[in-house]
Amino acid sequence: MNNRPIGVFDSGMGGLSVWKELRKALPHESLVYLADGKNCPYGNKPTEEVVEYVLRAIEELMRHNVKLVVMACNTATAVAIENLRSRYAEIPFVGMEPAVKPAALTSESGTIGILATRSSLHGDLFRNTCAKYDDKVRILTSVGEGFVECVEEGNDSSEEIALPLVRKAVEPLLAEGADKIVLGCTHYPFLAKHIERVIGGRKVEVINPAPAVARRTEWLLDHHDIRASKGHKAEYRFVTFADDGYLARITDKAMQLAEEE
Ligand code: DGL
């Protein structure tokens, strides 16, 4: 048993899509959510620069005495997870990568589409995962240009702003016959409504890996015997490198997600 918090990290607000699933699956676990906010978006910055941001962020989470870290950011996972696992060998890390496997194993059309940031799609992690499945399915990729900014600026509900961005990224995947669309960036689930709208009546499944990440976290807590005790009252904290206004926006967004449950 261990009542220390779990650290959850993202470049910004996107990781709240994972935070929501963690909270639901693990109601006794305290969570410290760190949104960099200051250097977001990460997805189109040089790798070395993003590695620096991620290392700094994880150091900050360690100051909160976390017992496990969920990297609720595909981009940060792609550039830094190996480094972090060797640097903090005593802390389990849950990384995120585009859910190629479940899409490849269930595709009927034989074509799947992966939506992610440029960095995630160009990293070794993604390349290696693709190599395991690209003899079974055709794997198409598309960068969600402007998706992260849209969510960060609070425009994810605005059809006028979000829909044209989503159309541009998703329509080419549909035109090529993809029957699975993998959300390979934690900001993208906030645009799911628009993605479904572009899909329309087609038989296409959108895959959000967040619930699977929560299950993996649960498994690791048991494996290391570090679950919070049953009676433990979970606390939810939010931290950022950006300003107080940003902190208020993340907190509001999180509370909204909690109410939707
Ligand atoms: N939410 C992140 C991801 O999962 C990072 C997006 C960004 O900062 O570009 O990739």
Side-chain angles (χ1 to χ4, degrees), residues 97-163:
E97 61 170 314
V100 174
K101 182 178 174 181
L105 297 183
T106 56
S107 172
E108 286 173 14
S109 71
T111 300
I112 65 171
I114 316 294
L115 280 177
T117 66
R118 191 160 278 112
S119 273
S120 294
L121 295 175
H122 290 140
D124 288 345
L125 191 63
F126 182 65
R127 235 194 304 263
N128 294 341
T129 306
C130 284
K132 289 189 207 151
Y133 301 98
D134 61 5
D135 58 337
K136 295 174 193 69
V137 287
R138 190 157 66 111
I139 304 174
L140 307 176
T141 61
S142 179
V143 173
E145 295 289 1
F147 284 25
V148 172
E149 292 84 344
C150 178
V151 174
E152 288 294 311
E153 286 157 17
N155 292 325
D156 33 327
S157 311
S158 159
E159 197 150 283
E160 208 187 328
I161 299 173
L163 200 56

Side-chain angles (χ1 to χ4, degrees), residues 10-15 39-44 72-76 96 116-117 120 148 184-188:
D10 183 38
S11 62
M13 301 182 189
N39 305 297
C40 184
Y42 284 179
N44 43 20
C73 179
N74 295 70
T75 309
M96 290 207 69
T117 66
S120 294
V148 172
C185 167
T186 55
H187 280 75
Y188 297 1

Side-chain angles (χ1 to χ4, degrees), residues 17-18 21-22 96 189 208-215:
S17 60
V18 177
E21 297 300 327
L22 289 169
M96 290 207 69
N208 172 8
V213 170
R215 287 195 295 277

